[in-house]
Amino acid sequence: MNPEDLYPRFAEGPRENRSTLFWAWNGRLEKGELSRQIGEFAKAGLGGFLMHSRDGLETAYLGEEWDGAVRHSVDEAKRLGLEAWLYDEDRWPSGSCGGRISSLEEGRYALKGLTLEVCPGGFGEGGGGEPLRAAYAARVEGHDILSCRRTEPGEPLRDGETLLLVRFETSGGSEWFNGSPPPDNLNPDTVGHFLASTHGHYASYLKGEFGGAVPAIFTDEPSLADRHARFPANRGWIPWSRGMEDFYAGLGYGDIYETLPYLYFNGSRSPEVRFRYWHCLALRFEETFSGQIGKWCRREGLQFSGHYLQEDKTGLSTRVNGSIMPHYVH
């Protein structure tokens, strides 16, 4: 094919082959201004836009005025032959519905973690906080663990041993989530509430546009180990959730508490313990978040799009998601 024949196919290609831009909604949403900007997108030859809540938004997220702006923008997109993509969160990361989900039922759907406190002097230094899940007597040197055994609070330590206390705790609130904690995306009920409050909300007045003027919804950097999590400063933590002990055991990995300190410290069993933990987390997160949302979107005729936190960095992507690529199946 001659270049002269090829160029028009790029210049005048169908809208689904053109760029769709992130459109920052970061002020007061006024229909006249929305129409003006959408008109400019059409003149520039774009294929569509993605309505993205950003810092500075002055219109209440998912409120009546917000919904009116979304509906108006979709109608304008249809009139001009553009695509209007939805975005599933107030800013990011996705999963909290602007902090509403994690504030429900006294934090039942808020981010959870297994915290570990190091108490060199014994149990007297480790009191307070959430109920204990496990206690250990261990010999530790810096980041290395040389030996470890389960114990009970109050039992005497042997020479050279340090007490390790593990608790199941809920993150505190964060300004980024409008005062609420990050969401517990390992809990299928959390994601179910998120789906009903966000995707279901849009379906209530846009379902007839799904697969047409509204082809997709974008999820943005959902994660498990959010940097906005708030746990006591003297305790390390890892993501966890209710029911995870059974999920872990169901993979044939036994009782996670038997070897848990090897996750936090470097020791002879650490490679095995860490593999099992992160494998468990990766499977659970895929199932509860992407699997559940992908199934809903397929049923409703809506494409599920997005990207995941730290996907370009192997180590960090494991820390915050378990594994990235399995999510993209959905």
Side-chain angles (χ1 to χ4, degrees), residues 224-225 274 277-278 281 309-310 313-324:
L224 300 174
R274 289 170 180 168
Y277 169 77
W278 291 113
L281 222 66
L309 185 61
Q310 304 293 356
K313 306 174 186 71
T314 301
L316 275 176
S317 68
T318 299
R319 174 73 179 95
V320 298
N321 289 300
S323 182
I324 295 291

Side-chain angles (χ1 to χ4, degrees), residues 84-86 199 202-203 206 209-212 214-218 293-294 296-305 330:
W85 287 39
L86 298 172
H199 302 62
Y202 285 126
L206 288 176
E209 309 293 352
F210 287 179
V214 181
I217 188 166
F218 192 97
I293 295 176
W296 186 95
C297 288
R298 285 191 296 273
R299 185 178 68 243
E300 300 296 328
L302 192 65
Q303 294 181 56
F304 178 32
S305 182
H330 305 285

Side-chain angles (χ1 to χ4, degrees), residues 172-237:
S174 167
E175 182 180 357
W176 185 257
F177 290 90
N178 298 317
S180 298
D184 178 7
N185 287 327
L186 291 171
N187 183 344
D189 293 337
T190 302
V191 181
H193 280 286
F194 170 60
L195 264 170
S197 301
T198 304
H199 302 62
H201 178 81
Y202 285 126
S204 69
Y205 66 93
L206 288 176
K207 186 173 181 177
E209 309 293 352
F210 287 179
V214 181
I217 188 166
F218 192 97
T219 196
D220 202 359
E221 299 188 346
S223 69
L224 300 174
D226 192 272
R227 61 192 173 94
H228 299 286
R230 298 290 181 266
F231 291 97
N234 64 332
R235 301 172 194 171
W237 71 278

Side-chain angles (χ1 to χ4, degrees), residues 17-238:
N17 291 343
R18 302 183 188 184
S19 295
T20 297
L21 82 161
F22 268 55
W23 183 18
W25 283 13
N26 54 4
R28 188 77 184 179
L29 302 180
E30 299 174 351
K31 292 181 180 179
E33 178 61 17
L34 296 174
S35 294
R36 186 192 70 80
Q37 293 189 30
I38 293 170
E40 293 298 317
F41 301 157
K43 290 178 185 178
L46 293 170
F49 52 84
L50 191 156
M51 297 166 282
H52 182 6
S53 168
R54 302 283 296 203
D55 286 356
L57 179 68
E58 297 177 23
T59 299
Y61 177 65
L62 294 187
E64 183 177 352
E65 190 175 354
W66 170 276
D67 290 344
V70 171
R71 177 75 259 186
H72 175 78
S73 298
V74 171
D75 290 342
E76 286 291 278
K78 289 176 64 178
R79 184 176 67 84
L80 296 172
L82 302 178
E83 293 181 343
W85 287 39
L86 298 172
Y87 182 88
D88 70 3
E89 190 52 80
D90 177 18
R91 296 171 297 175
W92 66 90
S94 296
S96 74
C97 192
R100 301 175 191 180
I101 304 303
S102 49
S103 64
L104 294 173
E105 298 185 26
E106 297 182 349
R108 177 177 177 81
Y109 307 113
L111 179 72
K112 305 293 190 299
L114 290 178
T115 66
L116 183 139
E117 183 177 6
V118 180
C119 308
F123 184 68
E125 296 184 20
E130 298 295 320
L132 293 177
R133 285 292 176 92
Y136 307 85
R139 289 185 170 86
V140 297
E141 294 181 0
H143 295 293
D144 298 326
I145 185 166
L146 308 179
S147 67
C148 181
R149 61 184 178 88
R150 294 285 290 270
T151 186
E152 295 293 333
E155 286 188 7
L157 299 175
R158 300 169 187 169
D159 289 344
E161 288 184 331
T162 294
L163 182 66
L164 307 178
L165 300 177
V166 172
R167 299 177 176 89
F168 180 62
E169 300 195 65
T170 300
S171 170
S174 167
E175 182 180 357
W176 185 257
F177 290 90
N178 298 317
S180 298
D184 178 7
N185 287 327
L186 291 171
N187 183 344
D189 293 337
T190 302
V191 181
H193 280 286
F194 170 60
L195 264 170
S197 301
T198 304
H199 302 62
H201 178 81
Y202 285 126
S204 69
Y205 66 93
L206 288 176
K207 186 173 181 177
E209 309 293 352
F210 287 179
V214 181
I217 188 166
F218 192 97
T219 196
D220 202 359
E221 299 188 346
S223 69
L224 300 174
D226 192 272
R227 61 192 173 94
H228 299 286
R230 298 290 181 266
F231 291 97
N234 64 332
R235 301 172 194 171
W237 71 278
I238 56 173

